[in-house]
């Protein structure tokens, strides 16, 4: 390492140690409408499952996120079963709503992965109702998936991430209009987090303002720790221009691509998406400006 690089790293470390990733929380009272628990389970699998669902233990007891870049540190998705110490049992419905609307946890920690400012009230209600239900997959589990430890660079990155403000949203889910529903799903299932240019230039409030929105290229890691770039999903020849809707549905829900190759980790399998929902996502993607980006 040359001297200049060493100086930069030292400066970054000093900065990072003093950064703000701890926030005040507000106690909000959240009254979930009588939500549908089975729809809540489906939405929780879709919106939270790729990180928190453990396929070995078949519950929401969390796991290591292998795909996060190593220089950020080690990141573990928490156990969110109802265990009061090892899980999220202490979270009240209000604290869960606050976490999902702002990215700030009950102890004031900023955890931007969960920040979903545009989630409809009915989905938020259903997810909260499910997490508080007596379903097997959220029953208290003592499993400790591991502690998240950020590197100095990871802490620095987090300190540039803005926490959201709590707003009582009253957001309606646009179920009637396929293109708007597709946009809603690409936002709330976080397709755009991976399928845009970089995690560093996302706009979670207005996803379409993220750099290279859905044009692919974001550098991730597969299950073996090898570098993998997210494919381009815009309607360009280097994206999904020549895909049929059923090829698209198969890739997203069964993990088999257009050329019959396996769609590998970290692409989550969204098996619970209905035909109408994959069709809506496909219709929405077709309306995006095509981006010329051949991802290898
Ligand atoms: C991209 C991955 C990802 C997704 C998607 C995700 N989470 Fe998390 N979640 C994490 C990580 C990582 C942590 C632990 C962060 C840490 O320890 O700093 C966490 C922590 C939590 C916690 C514990 C907070 C605490 O105070 O310790 C709760 C509760 C939670 N998530 C709920 C959810 C819910 C509900 C959803 C779905 C709406 C969701 N998460 C979606 C990655 C994710
Ligand atoms: C955690 C990151 C991540 C998320 C979230 C994610 N993807 Fe992916 N996706 C990937 C990666 C990486 C690949 C490439 C996998 C491979 O090459 O085997 C991929 C592949 C795909 C493919 C196949 C493309 C091709 O050229 O073979 C489609 C279609 C797709 N994703 C759609 C979606 C949709 C729709 C969503 C949201 C509902 C989504 N993805 C969410 C990372 C992600």
């Amino acid at each position: 390492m040359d001297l200049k690089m060493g100086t930069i790293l030292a400066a970054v470390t000093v900065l990072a140690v003093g950064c703000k990733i701890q926030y005040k929380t507000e106690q909000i009272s959240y009254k979930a409408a009588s939500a549908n628990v089975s729809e809540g389970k489906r939405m929780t699998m879709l919106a939270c499952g790729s990180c928190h669902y453990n396929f070995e233990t078949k519950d929401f007891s969390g796991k290591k996120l292998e795909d996060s870049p190593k220089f950020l540190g080690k990141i573990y998705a928490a156990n969110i079963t109802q265990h009061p110490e090892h899980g999220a049992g202490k979270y009240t419905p209000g604290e869960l709503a606050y976490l999902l609307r702002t990215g700030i946890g009950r102890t004031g920690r900023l955890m931007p992965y969960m920040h979903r400012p545009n989630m409809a009230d009915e989905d938020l209600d259903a997810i909260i109702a499910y997490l508080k239900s007596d379903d097997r997959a959220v029953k208290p589990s003592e499993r400790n998936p591991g502690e998240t430890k950020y590197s100095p660079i990871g802490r620095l990155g987090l300190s540039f991430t803005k926490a959201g403000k709590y707003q009582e949203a009253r957001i309606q889910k646009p179920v009637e209009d396929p293109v708007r529903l597709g946009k809603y799903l690409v936002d709330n299932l976080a397709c755009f987090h991976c399928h845009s240019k970089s995690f560093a230039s996302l706009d979670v409030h207005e996803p379409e303002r993220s750099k290279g929105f859905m044009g692919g290229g974001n550098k991730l890691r597969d299950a073996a720790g090898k570098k993998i770039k997210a494919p381009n999903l815009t309607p360009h020849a280097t994206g999904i221009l020549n895909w049929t809707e059923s090829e698209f549905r198969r890739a997203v829900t069964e993990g088999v691509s257009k050329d019959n190759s396996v769609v590998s980790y970290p692409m989550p399998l969204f098996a619970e998406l209905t035909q109408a929902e994959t069709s809506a996502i496909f219709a929405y993607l077709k309306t995006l400006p095509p981006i010329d980006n051949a991802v290898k």
Side-chain angles (χ1 to χ4, degrees):
M1 188 192 307
D2 63 23
L3 189 64
K4 213 160 125 209
M5 193 60 200
T7 317
I8 294 172
L9 268 183
V12 163
T13 310
V14 169
L15 261 171
V17 170
C19 309
K20 181 168 175 179
I21 52 175
Q22 192 70 28
Y23 287 79
K24 268 211 192 109
T25 60
E26 275 170 66
Q27 281 302 327
I28 55 147
S29 77
Y30 185 82
K31 251 199 44 229
S34 58
N36 176 339
V37 171
S38 63
E39 175 60 7
K41 178 167 191 172
R42 193 181 78 92
M43 279 313 296
T44 307
M45 275 308 279
L46 285 170
C48 326
S50 62
C51 296
H52 289 286
Y53 190 79
N54 189 303
F55 285 94
E56 277 153 35
T57 51
K58 298 197 168 52
D59 61 11
F60 285 92
S61 61
K63 61 190 170 204
K64 184 167 184 213
L65 298 187
E66 304 285 357
D67 59 320
S68 51
K70 297 256 179 321
F71 66 88
L72 294 178
K74 291 202 174 91
I75 302 179
Y76 294 86
N79 173 341
I80 59 168
T81 69
Q82 293 160 1
H83 197 283
E85 269 81 42
H86 303 290
K90 284 190 179 137
Y91 267 81
T92 63
E95 287 165 342
L96 283 170
Y98 195 82
L99 170 66
L100 297 186
R101 290 255 189 260
T102 65
I104 303 170
R106 61 186 290 277
T107 57
R109 219 146 42 93
L110 176 62
M111 293 172 283
Y113 333 91
M114 269 83 57
H115 191 186
R116 297 287 181 275
N118 306 320
M119 185 176 272
D121 292 20
E122 68 173 88
D123 283 341
L124 193 66
D125 288 359
I127 289 172
I128 293 173
Y130 172 67
L131 292 175
K132 296 291 174 197
S133 76
D134 55 12
D135 187 71
R136 224 209 105 245
V138 290
K139 283 247 155 70
S141 156
E142 286 191 351
R143 235 185 104 252
N144 179 358
E147 286 309 311
T148 294
K149 281 209 175 64
Y150 293 108
S151 65
I153 295 185
R155 287 175 65 87
L156 184 72
L158 254 190
S159 74
F160 286 124
T161 310
K162 269 216 234 90
K165 274 218 157 25
Y166 187 79
Q167 266 156 354
E168 221 172 311
R170 306 245 175 274
I171 299 169
Q172 298 275 338
K173 193 166 176 175
V175 282
E176 304 294 332
D177 176 341
V179 170
R180 284 182 56 221
L181 177 62
K183 177 177 179 182
Y184 176 84
L185 292 168
V186 165
D187 176 350
N188 287 284
L189 304 186
C191 314
F192 79 104
H193 288 205
C194 292
H195 284 279
S196 300
K197 186 163 189 205
S198 160
F199 287 127
S201 47
L202 297 176
D203 186 330
V204 295
H205 294 275
E206 290 181 59
E208 289 175 355
R209 294 179 157 217
S210 305
K211 263 200 194 133
F213 182 67
M214 296 310 278
N218 196 358
K219 296 184 199 72
L220 304 157
R221 281 180 192 273
D222 69 11
K226 279 229 256 357
K227 286 191 180 131
I228 181 170
K229 283 187 186 167
N232 179 352
L233 299 184
T234 65
H236 185 274
T238 56
I240 55 153
L241 182 68
N242 303 315
W243 287 55
T244 64
E245 191 184 305
S246 58
E247 286 167 342
F248 180 77
R249 176 167 170 80
R250 188 176 69 152
V252 176
T253 61
E254 296 171 36
V256 182
S257 186
K258 182 178 168 71
D259 63 3
N260 292 325
S261 63
V262 172
V263 181
S264 63
Y265 182 91
M267 169 67 192
L269 208 56
F270 295 96
E272 298 81 6
L273 283 174
T274 65
Q275 180 92 45
E277 286 169 331
T278 49
S279 163
I281 296 174
F282 191 67
Y284 167 63
L285 294 174
K286 290 279 184 178
T287 68
L288 295 177
I291 295 178
D292 181 353
N293 184 21
V295 177
K296 285 259 153 54

